[in-house]
């Protein structure tokens, strides 16, 4: 493996040691501003709630009316039963009187007749007494039926009163909901005016994801505890897929490699677990900002970049507003971010051509070609660092290092070689490991990735 020490085993050890103690970094709380569709949705929801409350109150009133009607019907039925009971009692009494008259006649006949007639009279008297007892029992039943009817009527009145109270409470609740809805509409309109004011002043809104959005983003990226999730983001054509392939030790077009091409092939993020089982890493190829109809300042939240453990901001020719927005949001969410310029070997060759190098000249002096390469390399490195520093200062961002890499050099290091023309590839690998370990609470590693 040459003079470069192997870091893959050490990386595996570093990652394994930190997995058990990973504590997600706290998100910075920012004020939440809703956009216009959200405001209109809130208004519609409030109106819907008020309408549902009115319908519920009307339903309760209707049930109360039906309950009162049912109570009246039962009261009328009870009164009818009482009337019939009284009529039946009157009839029984009349029959009793008639029985008593018959008994008198029987006694007279018995006195005038023989002993057998007196026995008949006694029997008739007993029957009359039984009829009287039945009459009294029927009267008692009629009385109880009347009392039950009155009790039922009281219960019906009490139930009706409770229903009226429920209806009143529902009406009060509906009025409260309507008042709340009006207040929410007022707040939404106020927020809308504030957004318009800030927009006219050129202030871009800062949106903090909700807990629901955070969980949804984790599900979308298939976030798993115990793994490190690395996102490679940047504009279309910056070489994100090729860089991911190099990090994973794969060449473009190799089986399992991320798709690459001149035309941006990534419209939705792709997830690539590291093929080395000792590396608990998952790489994500994030869609280039130029391929989506998303403003620069919305790109970070729209892609859910706030759930990743580390973000590589990759650019080819220049730092864009999207790159600046990603770096600014990484600082907000305390996410390690690395600025990487790709295709270093191609850019150095272009500088050599601008300095007069002719690759088709087979008779060129090797020593002269090497000196020209070193000059072009130094010029390219200095200009890149100068431009990135200027872009960060203009954006009021803290200065940070830019890593200049070639995918071929990076792949060689990953596979255990020590390429002579490497620039920042080794430092990038080392710093990614150390920064991530520090974020997870582990001690920085001195070793490198090989």
């Amino acid at each position: 493996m040459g003079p470069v020490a192997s870091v893959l085993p050490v990386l595996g050890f570093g990652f394994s040691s930190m997995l058990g103690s990973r504590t997600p970094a706290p998100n910075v709380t920012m004020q939440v501003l809703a956009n216009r569709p959200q405001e209109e949705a809130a208004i519609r929801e409030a109106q819907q709630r008020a309408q549902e409350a009115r319908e519920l109150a009307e339903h309760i009133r209707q049930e109360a009316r039906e309950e009162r009607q049912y109570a009246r019907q039962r009261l009328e039925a009870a009164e009818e039963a009482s009337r019939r009971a009284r009529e039946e009692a009157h009839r029984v009494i009349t029959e009793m009187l008639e029985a008593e008259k018959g008994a008198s006649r029987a006694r007279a006949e018995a006195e005038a007749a023989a002993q057998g007639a007196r026995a008949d009279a006694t029997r008739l008297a007993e029957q009359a007494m039984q009829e009287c007892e039945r009459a009294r029992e029927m009267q008692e039943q009629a009385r109880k039926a009347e009392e039950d009817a009155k009790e039922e009527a009281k219960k019906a009145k009490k139930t009706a009163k409770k229903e009226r109270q429920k209806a009143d409470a529902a009406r009060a609740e509906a009025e409260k909901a309507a008042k709340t809805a009006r207040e929410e509409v007022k707040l939404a309109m106020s927020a809308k005016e504030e957004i318009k004011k800030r927009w006219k002043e050129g202030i871009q809104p800062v949106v903090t994801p909700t807990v629901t959005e955070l969980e949804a983003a984790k599900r979308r990226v298939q976030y798993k505890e115990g793994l490190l999730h690395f996102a490679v983001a940047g504009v279309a054509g910056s070489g994100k897929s090729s860089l991911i392939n190099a990090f994973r030790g794969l060449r473009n077009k190799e089986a399992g490699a991320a798709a690459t091409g001149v035309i941006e092939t990534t419209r939705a993020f792709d997830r690539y677990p590291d093929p080395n089982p000792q590396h608990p890493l998952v790489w994500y190829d994030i869609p280039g900002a130029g391929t989506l109809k998303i403003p620069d300042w919305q790109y970070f939240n729209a892609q859910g970049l706030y759930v990743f453990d580390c973000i590589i901001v990759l650019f080819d020719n220049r730092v864009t507003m999207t790159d600046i927005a990603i770096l600014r949001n990484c600082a907000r969410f305390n996410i390690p971010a690395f600025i990487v310029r790709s295709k270093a070997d191609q850019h150095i060759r272009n500088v050599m051509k601008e300095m007069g190098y002719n690759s088709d000249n087979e008779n060129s002096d090797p020593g002269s070609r090497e000196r020209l390469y070193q000059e072009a390399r130094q010029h390219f490195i200095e200009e890149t660092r100068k431009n990135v520093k200027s872009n960060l200062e203009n954006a009021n961002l803290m200065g940070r290092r830019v890593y200049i890499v070639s995918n071929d050099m990076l792949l060689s290091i990953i596979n255990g070689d020590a390429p002579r023309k490497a620039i920042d590839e080794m430092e990038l690998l080392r710093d990614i490991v150390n920064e991530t370990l520090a974020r997870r609470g582990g001690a920085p590693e001195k070793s490198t990735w090989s």
Side-chain angles (χ1 to χ4, degrees):
M1 292 175 55
V4 180
S6 174
V7 298
L8 287 180
V10 178
L11 172 65
F13 172 77
F15 284 136
S16 300
S17 64
M18 69 180 176
L19 295 181
S21 61
R22 178 184 184 272
T23 301
N27 292 338
V28 178
T29 304
M30 303 295 292
Q31 63 176 349
V32 180
L33 299 177
N35 54 28
R36 183 173 184 178
Q38 292 173 330
E39 297 159 7
E40 294 175 350
I43 294 173
R44 289 196 297 270
E45 181 180 359
Q47 294 174 345
Q48 180 65 24
R49 289 176 57 192
Q51 180 62 26
E52 291 176 354
R54 289 194 292 271
E55 292 176 356
L56 176 60
E58 181 59 28
H59 179 69
I60 293 174
R61 287 195 292 271
Q62 180 62 28
E63 289 183 344
R65 288 195 292 270
E66 293 176 355
E67 185 65 26
R68 289 195 294 273
Q69 180 64 26
Y70 176 69
R72 284 196 295 271
Q73 291 176 354
R74 295 192 63 180
L75 179 61
E76 291 173 357
E79 292 175 350
E80 178 64 19
S82 177
R83 182 185 64 77
R84 290 179 180 178
R86 288 193 296 272
E87 291 177 355
E88 183 66 19
H90 179 72
R91 183 183 65 79
V92 171
I93 292 172
T94 301
E95 290 178 353
M96 181 186 69
L97 293 175
E98 291 295 330
E100 289 178 350
K101 290 180 181 179
S104 297
R105 286 194 299 270
R107 284 193 298 272
E109 292 176 358
E111 291 174 356
Q115 184 66 30
R118 285 195 296 271
D120 292 339
T122 302
R123 179 176 55 80
L124 291 173
E126 290 177 351
Q127 291 178 351
M129 291 178 66
Q130 292 175 355
E131 290 295 331
C132 287
E133 184 63 26
R134 284 195 294 269
R136 283 193 295 271
E137 290 177 355
M138 294 183 67
Q139 285 180 333
E140 182 65 20
Q141 291 176 356
R143 186 186 63 78
K144 289 183 177 180
E146 184 177 3
E147 290 179 353
D148 291 342
K150 290 180 179 179
E151 185 66 24
E152 190 67 28
K154 289 181 180 179
K155 291 181 179 179
K157 290 180 180 178
K158 187 176 181 180
T159 301
K161 182 178 180 180
K162 289 182 178 180
E163 293 300 328
R164 285 195 299 272
Q165 291 175 348
K166 289 181 180 178
D168 293 339
R171 183 168 54 255
E173 186 66 25
E175 292 175 354
K176 181 179 179 181
K179 181 179 178 181
T180 301
R182 288 192 295 270
E183 292 176 352
E184 289 178 351
V185 170
K186 184 177 179 181
L187 290 174
M189 295 301 295
S190 177
K192 179 180 178 181
E193 293 301 322
E194 180 64 19
I195 291 174
K196 287 183 178 179
K197 179 181 177 182
R198 291 173 64 86
W199 186 265
K200 290 179 180 178
E201 294 174 353
I203 302 175
Q204 295 175 342
V206 177
V207 180
T208 300
T210 63
V211 175
T212 301
E213 291 172 336
L214 185 63
E215 293 300 323
K218 285 188 174 182
R219 288 193 299 270
R220 190 167 63 251
V221 304
Q222 303 176 44
Y223 190 97
K224 293 183 179 180
E225 297 296 336
L227 297 178
L228 294 176
H229 306 78
F230 286 65
V232 179
V235 298
S238 57
K240 298 185 299 296
S241 300
S242 297
L243 184 66
I244 289 176
N245 289 336
F247 273 123
R248 298 172 67 229
L250 301 174
R251 295 188 180 278
N252 295 341
K253 309 302 181 182
E254 190 173 345
T260 59
V262 176
I263 299 176
E264 178 71 40
T265 57
T266 306
R267 296 279 179 168
F269 74 83
D270 288 316
R271 186 176 186 272
Y272 298 100
D274 198 284
N276 190 332
Q278 295 182 351
H279 296 171
L281 305 174
V282 182
W283 298 92
Y284 291 83
D285 192 346
I286 306 301
T291 64
L292 304 172
K293 295 181 179 179
I294 301 174
D296 296 333
W297 59 274
Q298 291 181 350
Y299 179 80
F300 188 91
N301 279 30
Q303 295 301 316
L305 297 182
Y306 42 77
V307 302
F308 290 100
D309 299 301
C310 179
I311 296 177
I312 294 176
V313 180
L314 186 67
F315 74 98
D316 179 10
N317 293 313
R318 62 185 180 87
V319 177
T320 66
M321 292 303 298
T322 300
D323 301 327
I324 295 298
I326 292 174
L327 293 171
R328 182 174 285 116
N329 280 284
C330 284
R332 285 179 53 214
F333 288 93
N334 193 28
I335 299 174
F338 296 89
I339 305 174
V340 177
R341 184 169 191 181
S342 62
K343 307 178 184 179
D345 48 355
Q346 298 179 21
H347 288 298
I348 292 174
R349 284 196 297 269
N350 292 336
V351 174
M352 289 176 66
K353 290 179 181 179
E354 293 175 357
M355 297 174 69
Y357 175 69
N358 183 4
S359 60
D360 295 330
N361 185 1
E362 299 179 354
N363 297 322
S364 60
D365 179 22
S368 175
R369 183 171 62 250
E370 178 62 22
R371 286 191 300 273
L372 188 61
Y373 169 80
Q374 293 298 334
E375 292 177 7
R377 169 191 166 107
Q378 187 63 29
H379 175 79
F380 170 69
I381 293 174
E382 291 176 354
E383 286 298 314
T384 297
R385 300 197 192 288
K386 177 182 176 181
N387 291 336
V388 171
K389 179 181 179 181
S390 175
N391 287 323
L392 294 177
E393 289 176 351
N394 291 337
N396 293 322
L397 289 176
M398 183 180 299
R400 62 173 68 215
R401 177 175 180 176
V402 55
Y403 297 86
I404 304 170
V405 302
S406 164
N407 293 336
D408 290 339
M409 299 297 106
L410 184 62
L411 179 61
S412 296
I413 295 173
I414 294 292
N415 291 331
D417 297 331
R420 183 176 58 86
K421 295 183 178 181
I423 303 177
D424 295 329
E425 291 84 357
M426 186 68 70
E427 288 79 2
L428 174 62
L429 294 172
R430 180 198 62 208
D431 292 347
I432 286 177
V433 172
N434 289 342
E435 187 71 25
T436 307
L437 284 172
R439 186 171 186 259
R440 289 292 184 92
E445 297 291 335
K446 187 177 181 180
S447 59
T448 55
W449 188 329
S450 67

